[in-house]
Amino acid sequence: MKTLSMTLAFAIVVAAGTPALGQDGEWRHALALDAEPKYPAGFEMFDYVNPDAPKGGTVRMSALGGFDTFNPVLPLGEAAGGLGLVYETLMTPSGDETSVSYGLLAEAVRYPDDFSSVTFRLNPDAHWQDGEPVTAEDVLWSFETVMELSPIYSEYYAPVEDAQITGEGEVTFTFSETGNRELPYIMGQLMVLPQHWWEGENADGQPRDIGASTLELPMGSGPYELTSFDAGRTVTYTRDPDYWGINEPVNIGTHNFDEYRFEYFRDLTVAFEAFKADEFDWWIENMARRWATAYNFPAVEDGRVVREEFEEPYRAAGLMVGFIMNLRDPKFENPLVRQAINYAFDFEELNRTMFYEQYQRIDSFFYGTELAAPDGPPQGLELEILEEVRDLVPTSVLEGEYTNPVGGSEDALRANLQEALRLFGEAGYTLNGTQLVDANGQQFGFEIMLNGPTIEPIALHLAQNLNRIGANVTVRSVDSVQFVNRLRSFDYDVVYQGWTQSLSPGNEQRYFWGSSSVDEEGSSNYAGISDPGIDALIERIVMAPDRDYLVAATRALDRVLLAHHFVVPSYTRGAYPTARWNRFSRPETLPEFEIGFPSIWWWDEEKAAATGGN
């Protein structure tokens, strides 16, 4: 774990007359990064929910791999799916706005004009599932714990230099920097854990340890309790009839199922067969061939299974996914090598022969959003920002736009592989017979690590094309637990992985590709990026004074990331293809930025009777 750059002070202000921090600013019911919140103080519910949705039934979800812990903090191990039903955060987002959150465990928030601190006032009604109140001490302890145990959180919340209880049920976080508009917002995402429970004893009289893995049933403040499990295979959550927040505005019309069940599978093909056999209810399709050819089974034909595509999740998220090269390995240090590898990826051929023309090639780290660098050379404010770091970024950034190689035919692939060989040659590699070797005669090669076999045909396509020009590239699929552990410890040459972006990027950019996260195990800096130009642009994003500057700085960062060729971008589509057993209903109008399944959907007894209830 990286040593924090500052000492965190955790003090409780109890002495009479001790000055309280964070008293600047008015109390607010919501936090918004870019605009005024849509919902005013005292709002009754979100517009997109059905307040009369019936309560009942079971929803069964699938998960890949397994689980070995119910501890949501530890960076190692595989936490069970659904723990967010047990644990809650200070604030919670709405589904029809971007970067806006409303009070949950915290009923109000305030911060000064310079964003140097933020204070949360807890909802006095909030209590744990054992009846004990949620306290400011719980918040401080939770913050201290995640900072100590989780590299991701320690990076995310690194600007916090002080945390104190500053009033009855009030917690103030003071920052080491000013002007970062995002910091109050991300502090509202803090997951709060019950200190008294974790510091107590289990049923065997043994002290609990937040720093250790556990399969003891957890206790939280959320709407559901984890009530049973089959280790690594199934986990079941049951509605808490005494949930404190059932009538909170952010919860009206949500949490409509009596029971959530997560079924685990080691292989997606096996999971799909289980879905067809009605072993769980909801399927998100990730294979074009299967979407085009495998839905001719009886339950689809007679309407018991419904297929539907949703655009909503793509409206608020940018995406980069592909083959990520680990620059911690010297063979990938040269950008010419990384660029050459991209020339061996023939997306157009794959889209024609395997994807049924369902996909588009990704060409941005913020693909599908206004944050993606536009076509043509940078202009206006974006150009001004890049001029400030001209000496720290590739010259190509200021000259024009990034483009992926285009294939789709044998002639095009042959030309692309010739260009790849040229780039390898500039990087110091030569052909020795049929082998591409470096100056020491060592053949160029690497292993592509995959999380299961789904992407194997695509990875093998890339490997075979590179091997045609003398490389030695292999593909290895591992199980989910091994994949996660190797990903966290950066134990791979090339990995198929990605990043999802919000419409308001900020601190998370530091642990995606900032120098401070390059050696931080568990960070999302999968490529091992440590670059002063990228660091400078990240700080401009983090400290952006307004939306226009944020967009321009993010587009500038996008151009620079692309120019370094850290990733061979793969592909995506503009909608979620889904299938479900037809025993659920939903609000007439879904929120703009999410499907809302299963949180705002509900069990429909009439449909379930016709379909065959689970």
mmCIF file of all heavy atoms in Angstrom, residues 540-581:
data_model
loop_
_atom_site.group_PDB
_atom_site.id
_atom_site.type_symbol
_atom_site.label_atom_id
_atom_site.label_comp_id
_atom_site.label_asym_id
_atom_site.label_seq_id
_atom_site.Cartn_x
_atom_site.Cartn_y
_atom_site.Cartn_z
ATOM 1 N N ARG A 540 -5.862 19.491 -14.112
ATOM 2 C CA ARG A 540 -6.741 20.504 -14.692
ATOM 3 C C ARG A 540 -8.196 20.035 -14.690
ATOM 4 O O ARG A 540 -9.114 20.845 -14.535
ATOM 5 C CB ARG A 540 -6.267 20.844 -16.111
ATOM 6 C CG ARG A 540 -5.030 21.776 -16.107
ATOM 7 C CD ARG A 540 -4.312 21.767 -17.447
ATOM 8 N NE ARG A 540 -3.264 22.791 -17.505
ATOM 9 C CZ ARG A 540 -2.073 22.673 -16.921
ATOM 10 N NH1 ARG A 540 -1.786 21.571 -16.235
ATOM 11 N NH2 ARG A 540 -1.182 23.644 -17.013
ATOM 12 N N ILE A 541 -8.405 18.747 -14.865
ATOM 13 C CA ILE A 541 -9.768 18.206 -14.775
ATOM 14 C C ILE A 541 -10.279 18.295 -13.349
ATOM 15 O O ILE A 541 -11.399 18.751 -13.097
ATOM 16 C CB ILE A 541 -9.783 16.745 -15.277
ATOM 17 C CG1 ILE A 541 -9.560 16.698 -16.788
ATOM 18 C CG2 ILE A 541 -11.091 16.046 -14.905
ATOM 19 C CD1 ILE A 541 -9.329 15.298 -17.329
ATOM 20 N N VAL A 542 -9.465 17.853 -12.421
ATOM 21 C CA VAL A 542 -9.872 17.839 -11.015
ATOM 22 C C VAL A 542 -10.206 19.237 -10.519
ATOM 23 O O VAL A 542 -11.172 19.433 -9.760
ATOM 24 C CB VAL A 542 -8.761 17.202 -10.157
ATOM 25 C CG1 VAL A 542 -9.044 17.395 -8.670
ATOM 26 C CG2 VAL A 542 -8.622 15.715 -10.477
ATOM 27 N N MET A 543 -9.455 20.221 -10.960
ATOM 28 C CA MET A 543 -9.625 21.596 -10.469
ATOM 29 C C MET A 543 -10.417 22.470 -11.431
ATOM 30 O O MET A 543 -10.404 23.699 -11.316
ATOM 31 C CB MET A 543 -8.254 22.226 -10.214
ATOM 32 C CG MET A 543 -7.354 21.434 -9.275
ATOM 33 S SD MET A 543 -8.115 21.121 -7.664
ATOM 34 C CE MET A 543 -8.128 22.783 -7.005
ATOM 35 N N ALA A 544 -11.124 21.862 -12.367
ATOM 36 C CA ALA A 544 -11.874 22.639 -13.365
ATOM 37 C C ALA A 544 -12.859 23.588 -12.687
ATOM 38 O O ALA A 544 -13.650 23.167 -11.831
ATOM 39 C CB ALA A 544 -12.617 21.699 -14.302
ATOM 40 N N PRO A 545 -12.845 24.882 -13.046
ATOM 41 C CA PRO A 545 -13.722 25.850 -12.381
ATOM 42 C C PRO A 545 -15.169 25.799 -12.854
ATOM 43 O O PRO A 545 -16.059 26.286 -12.175
ATOM 44 C CB PRO A 545 -13.077 27.196 -12.735
ATOM 45 C CG PRO A 545 -12.406 26.956 -14.053
ATOM 46 C CD PRO A 545 -11.910 25.534 -13.993
ATOM 47 N N ASP A 546 -15.409 25.231 -14.050
ATOM 48 C CA ASP A 546 -16.770 25.182 -14.565
ATOM 49 C C ASP A 546 -16.870 24.053 -15.587
ATOM 50 O O ASP A 546 -15.885 23.381 -15.909
ATOM 51 C CB ASP A 546 -17.176 26.520 -15.196
ATOM 52 C CG ASP A 546 -16.187 27.010 -16.255
ATOM 53 O OD1 ASP A 546 -15.764 26.187 -17.104
ATOM 54 O OD2 ASP A 546 -15.830 28.200 -16.230
ATOM 55 N N ARG A 547 -18.080 23.846 -16.083
ATOM 56 C CA ARG A 547 -18.335 22.735 -16.995
ATOM 57 C C ARG A 547 -17.580 22.878 -18.315
ATOM 58 O O ARG A 547 -17.031 21.900 -18.841
ATOM 59 C CB ARG A 547 -19.841 22.629 -17.275
ATOM 60 C CG ARG A 547 -20.244 21.495 -18.221
ATOM 61 C CD ARG A 547 -20.054 20.148 -17.577
ATOM 62 N NE ARG A 547 -20.294 19.050 -18.502
ATOM 63 C CZ ARG A 547 -20.126 17.774 -18.190
ATOM 64 N NH1 ARG A 547 -19.724 17.441 -16.973
ATOM 65 N NH2 ARG A 547 -20.361 16.835 -19.075
ATOM 66 N N ASP A 548 -17.532 24.073 -18.867
ATOM 67 C CA ASP A 548 -16.843 24.272 -20.143
ATOM 68 C C ASP A 548 -15.371 23.887 -20.037
ATOM 69 O O ASP A 548 -14.818 23.234 -20.936
ATOM 70 C CB ASP A 548 -16.978 25.729 -20.609
ATOM 71 C CG ASP A 548 -18.389 26.054 -21.064
ATOM 72 O OD1 ASP A 548 -19.161 25.113 -21.332
ATOM 73 O OD2 ASP A 548 -18.723 27.260 -21.148
ATOM 74 N N TYR A 549 -14.749 24.298 -18.940
ATOM 75 C CA TYR A 549 -13.324 23.976 -18.768
ATOM 76 C C TYR A 549 -13.157 22.473 -18.554
ATOM 77 O O TYR A 549 -12.222 21.863 -19.090
ATOM 78 C CB TYR A 549 -12.744 24.747 -17.587
ATOM 79 C CG TYR A 549 -11.233 24.668 -17.503
ATOM 80 C CD1 TYR A 549 -10.441 25.654 -18.060
ATOM 81 C CD2 TYR A 549 -10.601 23.592 -16.878
ATOM 82 C CE1 TYR A 549 -9.050 25.585 -17.997
ATOM 83 C CE2 TYR A 549 -9.228 23.496 -16.819
ATOM 84 C CZ TYR A 549 -8.453 24.504 -17.379
ATOM 85 O OH TYR A 549 -7.090 24.429 -17.324
ATOM 86 N N LEU A 550 -14.055 21.858 -17.788
ATOM 87 C CA LEU A 550 -13.972 20.418 -17.542
ATOM 88 C C LEU A 550 -14.047 19.641 -18.855
ATOM 89 O O LEU A 550 -13.255 18.719 -19.088
ATOM 90 C CB LEU A 550 -15.107 19.985 -16.617
ATOM 91 C CG LEU A 550 -15.206 18.483 -16.342
ATOM 92 C CD1 LEU A 550 -14.032 18.006 -15.507
ATOM 93 C CD2 LEU A 550 -16.525 18.146 -15.655
ATOM 94 N N VAL A 551 -14.979 19.997 -19.712
ATOM 95 C CA VAL A 551 -15.121 19.301 -20.996
ATOM 96 C C VAL A 551 -13.864 19.478 -21.840
ATOM 97 O O VAL A 551 -13.339 18.509 -22.419
ATOM 98 C CB VAL A 551 -16.369 19.806 -21.745
ATOM 99 C CG1 VAL A 551 -16.400 19.251 -23.171
ATOM 100 C CG2 VAL A 551 -17.639 19.418 -20.994
ATOM 101 N N ALA A 552 -13.349 20.707 -21.915
ATOM 102 C CA ALA A 552 -12.159 20.969 -22.733
ATOM 103 C C ALA A 552 -10.947 20.210 -22.200
ATOM 104 O O ALA A 552 -10.176 19.611 -22.972
ATOM 105 C CB ALA A 552 -11.881 22.469 -22.776
ATOM 106 N N ALA A 553 -10.761 20.214 -20.882
ATOM 107 C CA ALA A 553 -9.608 19.525 -20.295
ATOM 108 C C ALA A 553 -9.714 18.016 -20.472
ATOM 109 O O ALA A 553 -8.712 17.326 -20.708
ATOM 110 C CB ALA A 553 -9.489 19.878 -18.811
ATOM 111 N N THR A 554 -10.925 17.487 -20.382
ATOM 112 C CA THR A 554 -11.109 16.046 -20.563
ATOM 113 C C THR A 554 -10.851 15.650 -22.006
ATOM 114 O O THR A 554 -10.236 14.604 -22.282
ATOM 115 C CB THR A 554 -12.528 15.636 -20.135
ATOM 116 O OG1 THR A 554 -12.773 16.066 -18.791
ATOM 117 C CG2 THR A 554 -12.698 14.131 -20.209
ATOM 118 N N ARG A 555 -11.302 16.465 -22.942
ATOM 119 C CA ARG A 555 -11.013 16.174 -24.347
ATOM 120 C C ARG A 555 -9.510 16.212 -24.606
ATOM 121 O O ARG A 555 -8.978 15.387 -25.374
ATOM 122 C CB ARG A 555 -11.725 17.182 -25.236
ATOM 123 C CG ARG A 555 -13.241 17.001 -25.278
ATOM 124 C CD ARG A 555 -13.918 18.109 -26.064
ATOM 125 N NE ARG A 555 -15.352 17.852 -26.234
ATOM 126 C CZ ARG A 555 -16.197 18.683 -26.828
ATOM 127 N NH1 ARG A 555 -15.750 19.842 -27.329
ATOM 128 N NH2 ARG A 555 -17.474 18.376 -26.942
ATOM 129 N N ALA A 556 -8.824 17.131 -23.966
ATOM 130 C CA ALA A 556 -7.368 17.198 -24.114
ATOM 131 C C ALA A 556 -6.720 15.932 -23.560
ATOM 132 O O ALA A 556 -5.813 15.354 -24.188
ATOM 133 C CB ALA A 556 -6.837 18.439 -23.402
ATOM 134 N N LEU A 557 -7.165 15.492 -22.393
ATOM 135 C CA LEU A 557 -6.635 14.254 -21.823
ATOM 136 C C LEU A 557 -6.919 13.079 -22.746
ATOM 137 O O LEU A 557 -6.055 12.206 -22.950
ATOM 138 C CB LEU A 557 -7.255 14.011 -20.447
ATOM 139 C CG LEU A 557 -6.883 12.670 -19.788
ATOM 140 C CD1 LEU A 557 -5.389 12.608 -19.490
ATOM 141 C CD2 LEU A 557 -7.699 12.443 -18.516
ATOM 142 N N ASP A 558 -8.099 13.031 -23.308
ATOM 143 C CA ASP A 558 -8.463 11.946 -24.217
ATOM 144 C C ASP A 558 -7.474 11.871 -25.377
ATOM 145 O O ASP A 558 -6.983 10.791 -25.730
ATOM 146 C CB ASP A 558 -9.885 12.168 -24.728
ATOM 147 C CG ASP A 558 -10.437 10.985 -25.503
ATOM 148 O OD1 ASP A 558 -10.030 9.844 -25.206
ATOM 149 O OD2 ASP A 558 -11.273 11.199 -26.396
ATOM 150 N N ARG A 559 -7.166 13.004 -25.976
ATOM 151 C CA ARG A 559 -6.223 13.019 -27.103
ATOM 152 C C ARG A 559 -4.850 12.482 -26.685
ATOM 153 O O ARG A 559 -4.212 11.725 -27.428
ATOM 154 C CB ARG A 559 -6.072 14.437 -27.640
ATOM 155 C CG ARG A 559 -7.292 14.968 -28.375
ATOM 156 C CD ARG A 559 -6.993 16.353 -28.949
ATOM 157 N NE ARG A 559 -8.201 17.002 -29.430
ATOM 158 C CZ ARG A 559 -8.686 16.867 -30.669
ATOM 159 N NH1 ARG A 559 -8.044 16.099 -31.542
ATOM 160 N NH2 ARG A 559 -9.785 17.499 -31.026
ATOM 161 N N VAL A 560 -4.407 12.875 -25.506
ATOM 162 C CA VAL A 560 -3.073 12.469 -25.063
ATOM 163 C C VAL A 560 -3.041 10.971 -24.752
ATOM 164 O O VAL A 560 -2.092 10.266 -25.119
ATOM 165 C CB VAL A 560 -2.634 13.306 -23.853
ATOM 166 C CG1 VAL A 560 -1.309 12.790 -23.292
ATOM 167 C CG2 VAL A 560 -2.490 14.776 -24.256
ATOM 168 N N LEU A 561 -4.068 10.462 -24.077
ATOM 169 C CA LEU A 561 -4.128 9.028 -23.802
ATOM 170 C C LEU A 561 -4.128 8.220 -25.095
ATOM 171 O O LEU A 561 -3.427 7.206 -25.213
ATOM 172 C CB LEU A 561 -5.379 8.707 -22.981
ATOM 173 C CG LEU A 561 -5.397 9.201 -21.530
ATOM 174 C CD1 LEU A 561 -6.791 9.031 -20.930
ATOM 175 C CD2 LEU A 561 -4.366 8.455 -20.689
ATOM 176 N N LEU A 562 -4.890 8.663 -26.066
ATOM 177 C CA LEU A 562 -4.941 7.957 -27.346
ATOM 178 C C LEU A 562 -3.589 8.012 -28.057
ATOM 179 O O LEU A 562 -3.150 7.016 -28.655
ATOM 180 C CB LEU A 562 -6.023 8.566 -28.237
ATOM 181 C CG LEU A 562 -7.468 8.331 -27.807
ATOM 182 C CD1 LEU A 562 -8.409 9.238 -28.590
ATOM 183 C CD2 LEU A 562 -7.862 6.865 -28.000
ATOM 184 N N ALA A 563 -2.929 9.144 -27.991
ATOM 185 C CA ALA A 563 -1.659 9.316 -28.701
ATOM 186 C C ALA A 563 -0.562 8.411 -28.151
ATOM 187 O O ALA A 563 0.398 8.087 -28.856
ATOM 188 C CB ALA A 563 -1.212 10.773 -28.634
ATOM 189 N N HIS A 564 -0.697 7.975 -26.909
ATOM 190 C CA HIS A 564 0.307 7.089 -26.303
ATOM 191 C C HIS A 564 0.061 5.614 -26.640
ATOM 192 O O HIS A 564 0.916 4.775 -26.329
ATOM 193 C CB HIS A 564 0.325 7.271 -24.790
ATOM 194 C CG HIS A 564 1.079 8.479 -24.324
ATOM 195 N ND1 HIS A 564 2.454 8.561 -24.353
ATOM 196 C CD2 HIS A 564 0.644 9.658 -23.807
ATOM 197 C CE1 HIS A 564 2.853 9.731 -23.857
ATOM 198 N NE2 HIS A 564 1.770 10.410 -23.540
ATOM 199 N N HIS A 565 -1.091 5.276 -27.207
ATOM 200 C CA HIS A 565 -1.385 3.908 -27.646
ATOM 201 C C HIS A 565 -1.265 2.894 -26.499
ATOM 202 O O HIS A 565 -0.679 1.820 -26.658
ATOM 203 C CB HIS A 565 -0.465 3.504 -28.799
ATOM 204 C CG HIS A 565 -0.523 4.426 -29.967
ATOM 205 N ND1 HIS A 565 -1.586 4.469 -30.842
ATOM 206 C CD2 HIS A 565 0.359 5.387 -30.397
ATOM 207 C CE1 HIS A 565 -1.360 5.397 -31.766
ATOM 208 N NE2 HIS A 565 -0.202 5.973 -31.519
ATOM 209 N N PHE A 566 -1.825 3.229 -25.362
ATOM 210 C CA PHE A 566 -1.781 2.312 -24.223
ATOM 211 C C PHE A 566 -2.677 1.092 -24.419
ATOM 212 O O PHE A 566 -2.464 0.066 -23.796
ATOM 213 C CB PHE A 566 -2.231 3.036 -22.947
ATOM 214 C CG PHE A 566 -1.354 4.175 -22.534
ATOM 215 C CD1 PHE A 566 -1.889 5.440 -22.334
ATOM 216 C CD2 PHE A 566 0.003 3.983 -22.321
ATOM 217 C CE1 PHE A 566 -1.092 6.502 -21.935
ATOM 218 C CE2 PHE A 566 0.815 5.037 -21.920
ATOM 219 C CZ PHE A 566 0.265 6.298 -21.733
ATOM 220 N N VAL A 567 -3.693 1.230 -25.264
ATOM 221 C CA VAL A 567 -4.731 0.213 -25.406
ATOM 222 C C VAL A 567 -4.976 -0.062 -26.884
ATOM 223 O O VAL A 567 -4.933 0.859 -27.704
ATOM 224 C CB VAL A 567 -6.056 0.701 -24.755
ATOM 225 C CG1 VAL A 567 -7.133 -0.382 -24.856
ATOM 226 C CG2 VAL A 567 -5.846 1.105 -23.306
ATOM 227 N N VAL A 568 -5.235 -1.328 -27.196
ATOM 228 C CA VAL A 568 -5.819 -1.660 -28.488
ATOM 229 C C VAL A 568 -7.328 -1.625 -28.280
ATOM 230 O O VAL A 568 -7.907 -2.539 -27.693
ATOM 231 C CB VAL A 568 -5.382 -3.050 -28.971
ATOM 232 C CG1 VAL A 568 -6.090 -3.410 -30.280
ATOM 233 C CG2 VAL A 568 -3.872 -3.103 -29.154
ATOM 234 N N PRO A 569 -8.000 -0.546 -28.706
ATOM 235 C CA PRO A 569 -9.436 -0.428 -28.416
ATOM 236 C C PRO A 569 -10.223 -1.536 -29.104
ATOM 237 O O PRO A 569 -9.915 -1.931 -30.234
ATOM 238 C CB PRO A 569 -9.798 0.948 -28.993
ATOM 239 C CG PRO A 569 -8.499 1.682 -29.142
ATOM 240 C CD PRO A 569 -7.482 0.629 -29.445
ATOM 241 N N SER A 570 -11.244 -2.016 -28.398
ATOM 242 C CA SER A 570 -12.074 -3.036 -29.020
ATOM 243 C C SER A 570 -13.376 -2.416 -29.503
ATOM 244 O O SER A 570 -13.340 -1.538 -30.374
ATOM 245 C CB SER A 570 -12.310 -4.219 -28.080
ATOM 246 O OG SER A 570 -12.975 -3.821 -26.899
ATOM 247 N N TYR A 571 -14.511 -2.752 -28.959
ATOM 248 C CA TYR A 571 -15.773 -2.387 -29.598
ATOM 249 C C TYR A 571 -16.868 -2.287 -28.546
ATOM 250 O O TYR A 571 -16.742 -2.755 -27.410
ATOM 251 C CB TYR A 571 -16.144 -3.450 -30.633
ATOM 252 C CG TYR A 571 -15.983 -4.859 -30.095
ATOM 253 C CD1 TYR A 571 -17.009 -5.472 -29.366
ATOM 254 C CD2 TYR A 571 -14.787 -5.555 -30.267
ATOM 255 C CE1 TYR A 571 -16.847 -6.737 -28.841
ATOM 256 C CE2 TYR A 571 -14.626 -6.824 -29.739
ATOM 257 C CZ TYR A 571 -15.650 -7.404 -29.024
ATOM 258 O OH TYR A 571 -15.483 -8.659 -28.495
ATOM 259 N N THR A 572 -17.977 -1.694 -28.939
ATOM 260 C CA THR A 572 -19.141 -1.581 -28.061
ATOM 261 C C THR A 572 -20.372 -1.423 -28.944
ATOM 262 O O THR A 572 -20.284 -1.403 -30.164
ATOM 263 C CB THR A 572 -18.991 -0.390 -27.096
ATOM 264 O OG1 THR A 572 -20.051 -0.415 -26.136
ATOM 265 C CG2 THR A 572 -19.011 0.941 -27.843
ATOM 266 N N ARG A 573 -21.516 -1.314 -28.303
ATOM 267 C CA ARG A 573 -22.759 -1.027 -29.013
ATOM 268 C C ARG A 573 -23.530 -0.001 -28.202
ATOM 269 O O ARG A 573 -23.262 0.205 -27.032
ATOM 270 C CB ARG A 573 -23.588 -2.297 -29.222
ATOM 271 C CG ARG A 573 -23.998 -2.992 -27.944
ATOM 272 C CD ARG A 573 -24.671 -4.328 -28.241
ATOM 273 N NE ARG A 573 -25.903 -4.166 -28.976
ATOM 274 C CZ ARG A 573 -26.502 -5.141 -29.664
ATOM 275 N NH1 ARG A 573 -25.935 -6.329 -29.722
ATOM 276 N NH2 ARG A 573 -27.630 -4.940 -30.291
ATOM 277 N N GLY A 574 -24.481 0.664 -28.829
ATOM 278 C CA GLY A 574 -25.159 1.773 -28.185
ATOM 279 C C GLY A 574 -26.368 1.400 -27.366
ATOM 280 O O GLY A 574 -27.149 2.275 -26.993
ATOM 281 N N ALA A 575 -26.541 0.110 -27.081
ATOM 282 C CA ALA A 575 -27.696 -0.301 -26.297
ATOM 283 C C ALA A 575 -27.368 -1.587 -25.555
ATOM 284 O O ALA A 575 -26.545 -2.394 -26.009
ATOM 285 C CB ALA A 575 -28.923 -0.508 -27.186
ATOM 286 N N TYR A 576 -28.034 -1.764 -24.412
ATOM 287 C CA TYR A 576 -27.906 -3.005 -23.649
ATOM 288 C C TYR A 576 -28.885 -4.031 -24.216
ATOM 289 O O TYR A 576 -30.093 -3.850 -24.120
ATOM 290 C CB TYR A 576 -28.274 -2.755 -22.187
ATOM 291 C CG TYR A 576 -27.119 -2.483 -21.259
ATOM 292 C CD1 TYR A 576 -26.030 -1.722 -21.658
ATOM 293 C CD2 TYR A 576 -27.131 -2.986 -19.957
ATOM 294 C CE1 TYR A 576 -24.993 -1.451 -20.795
ATOM 295 C CE2 TYR A 576 -26.099 -2.717 -19.083
ATOM 296 C CZ TYR A 576 -25.025 -1.958 -19.504
ATOM 297 O OH TYR A 576 -23.999 -1.689 -18.654
ATOM 298 N N PRO A 577 -28.407 -5.136 -24.780
ATOM 299 C CA PRO A 577 -29.327 -6.195 -25.171
ATOM 300 C C PRO A 577 -29.629 -7.072 -23.953
ATOM 301 O O PRO A 577 -28.719 -7.603 -23.318
ATOM 302 C CB PRO A 577 -28.541 -6.964 -26.233
ATOM 303 C CG PRO A 577 -27.110 -6.691 -25.934
ATOM 304 C CD PRO A 577 -27.029 -5.390 -25.196
ATOM 305 N N THR A 578 -30.893 -7.198 -23.602
ATOM 306 C CA THR A 578 -31.268 -7.946 -22.408
ATOM 307 C C THR A 578 -32.363 -8.951 -22.729
ATOM 308 O O THR A 578 -33.102 -8.809 -23.709
ATOM 309 C CB THR A 578 -31.792 -7.015 -21.292
ATOM 310 O OG1 THR A 578 -33.082 -6.499 -21.672
ATOM 311 C CG2 THR A 578 -30.834 -5.862 -21.032
ATOM 312 N N ALA A 579 -32.455 -9.943 -21.883
ATOM 313 C CA ALA A 579 -33.569 -10.888 -21.916
ATOM 314 C C ALA A 579 -34.010 -11.116 -20.480
ATOM 315 O O ALA A 579 -33.192 -11.104 -19.561
ATOM 316 C CB ALA A 579 -33.159 -12.194 -22.575
ATOM 317 N N ARG A 580 -35.326 -11.334 -20.286
ATOM 318 C CA ARG A 580 -35.834 -11.553 -18.929
ATOM 319 C C ARG A 580 -37.033 -12.485 -18.974
ATOM 320 O O ARG A 580 -37.784 -12.511 -19.961
ATOM 321 C CB ARG A 580 -36.233 -10.221 -18.280
ATOM 322 C CG ARG A 580 -37.409 -9.523 -18.949
ATOM 323 C CD ARG A 580 -37.728 -8.190 -18.270
ATOM 324 N NE ARG A 580 -38.898 -7.536 -18.860
ATOM 325 C CZ ARG A 580 -38.869 -6.733 -19.913
ATOM 326 N NH1 ARG A 580 -37.712 -6.471 -20.507
ATOM 327 N NH2 ARG A 580 -39.989 -6.180 -20.369
ATOM 328 N N TRP A 581 -37.184 -13.225 -17.925
ATOM 329 C CA TRP A 581 -38.407 -13.988 -17.756
ATOM 330 C C TRP A 581 -39.527 -13.016 -17.438
ATOM 331 O O TRP A 581 -39.383 -12.138 -16.590
ATOM 332 C CB TRP A 581 -38.224 -15.055 -16.677
ATOM 333 C CG TRP A 581 -37.450 -16.215 -17.213
ATOM 334 C CD1 TRP A 581 -36.089 -16.347 -17.232
ATOM 335 C CD2 TRP A 581 -37.987 -17.380 -17.839
ATOM 336 N NE1 TRP A 581 -35.740 -17.527 -17.849
ATOM 337 C CE2 TRP A 581 -36.880 -18.191 -18.229
ATOM 338 C CE3 TRP A 581 -39.279 -17.827 -18.122
ATOM 339 C CZ2 TRP A 581 -37.045 -19.409 -18.883
ATOM 340 C CZ3 TRP A 581 -39.459 -19.052 -18.752
ATOM 341 C CH2 TRP A 581 -38.349 -19.835 -19.138
#
